[in-house]
Amino acid sequence: MHAAQPTEPIPVDQMIPARSQIPADPDPGNYVVVDVAQFSTTVPELFANGAKYIHITETRGDEPEFQQAHPRAKIGGNSGPEYRGEPGYDFFNSPSFVQDVDVEGRPTAMTSTNGGNAVTDLRLAGDENVTIYVGGLTNGAAVAAHLREQTEPTYFVAAGSNGKPSPEDIAGALYIARHLSGEPPTEHHRRLYREMVAYSKGAKYQGKPQIKRTDLYEYALNFDSRDVVPKLDGQKLYDVSGGE
């Protein structure tokens, strides 16, 4: 007699383990882009601080033109020297850095090498039957609660890095999927996911400026701290946690 197999939180065919593996013709459904360090953590922080929406630019460098058309907008660019930001931009892809940026009621614009570009890749590859969300460890429960009300299948895009899968993004996708599956993550699961993220990213950040470790340990690993559900409409992410 064989032991029962455990329920998989994500069917294998609904998991895209890196941005480079986004299909040219995605199946209809809801797609959650997961980029734990940092895009999927920065986006909820911008909304929590009052951003009206986040325009995801197709190309890094398009943001100043967006700001010219929307003078009240705040725009994000590269991290710049020592992670202090890039001249001409208001912020960069850092959940801690955006805390001091006045985005209340304002449009914002940004992209990122992995998560932001994954959103754009999906948008360009998909059609009206492909709906895109952004989720991570900080808003996993909120995104899952929203998706449970939908009838379409859910796919996860772990953005990865340099075309390859990243452990922290796989962990983030699994965390959201656990919430979605009806078997929510236990403290044991959180400890495992925390270790996956800390060992995959924390060691890399040891020799970098403190802001990188702050972003990781104080923000990215702050499980379910935000009730934000970013959903793409055109090129803009909106928080639909309060209804659409």
Side-chain angles (χ1 to χ4, degrees):
M1 183 174 180
H2 296 286
Q5 294 296 311
T7 302
E8 294 179 346
I10 308 177
V12 172
D13 61 353
Q14 290 176 233
M15 178 68 184
I16 301 171
R19 173 195 167 205
S20 60
Q21 297 185 37
I22 293 172
D25 185 18
D27 290 335
N30 297 314
Y31 287 74
V32 183
V33 172
V34 183
D35 179 8
V36 168
Q38 313 280 12
F39 182 77
S40 290
T41 307
T42 300
V43 164
E45 292 304 311
L46 285 169
F47 280 123
N49 289 332
K52 183 177 181 180
Y53 60 77
I54 304 171
H55 178 84
I56 305 300
T57 52
E58 280 194 20
T59 305
R60 174 70 56 76
D62 290 347
E63 298 83 12
E65 182 179 353
F66 177 85
Q67 193 174 48
Q68 288 177 0
H70 304 82
R72 295 191 69 247
K74 297 291 186 178
I75 58 173
N78 285 309
S79 56
E82 295 299 305
Y83 297 92
R84 294 175 181 168
E86 184 180 9
Y89 288 82
D90 301 296
F91 64 90
F92 63 96
N93 185 22
S94 160
S96 64
F97 192 90
V98 301
Q99 302 305 319
D100 296 324
V101 181
D102 178 15
V103 297
E104 178 67 40
R106 296 174 182 267
T108 60
M110 67 175 293
T111 188
S112 74
T113 303
N114 299 305
N117 283 334
V119 168
T120 296
D121 290 349
L122 269 172
R123 177 178 64 82
L124 295 176
D127 56 22
E128 68 276 3
N129 295 314
V130 170
T131 304
I132 303 168
Y133 295 88
V134 173
L137 296 173
T138 63
N139 68 334
V143 169
H146 177 85
L147 291 173
R148 276 197 298 273
E149 302 298 321
Q150 315 304 310
T151 58
E152 299 81 5
T154 297
Y155 299 86
F156 292 87
V157 181
S161 179
N162 297 317
K164 298 178 181 179
S166 293
E168 70 276 7
D169 296 340
I170 300 293
L174 285 169
Y175 185 71
I176 300 169
R178 280 263 171 221
H179 277 296
L180 186 58
S181 71
E183 296 182 6
T186 64
E187 187 51 42
H188 173 69
H189 289 123
R190 289 187 182 87
R191 184 169 65 251
L192 291 176
Y193 298 144
R194 187 178 292 111
E195 289 175 353
M196 286 177 67
V197 175
Y199 278 91
S200 61
K201 280 296 182 185
K204 293 182 180 180
Y205 293 166
Q206 285 303 107
K208 293 189 176 182
Q210 177 62 41
I211 189 171
K212 297 296 288 182
R213 296 187 292 281
T214 299
D215 284 345
L216 185 69
Y217 294 111
E218 295 186 22
Y219 286 88
L221 286 169
N222 194 3
F223 292 90
D224 298 323
S225 56
R226 296 300 186 189
D227 295 325
V228 171
V229 182
K231 179 181 178 181
L232 195 70
D233 183 359
Q235 279 185 248
K236 295 173 174 57
L237 288 170
Y238 291 91
D239 176 17
V240 298
S241 60
E244 300 183 53

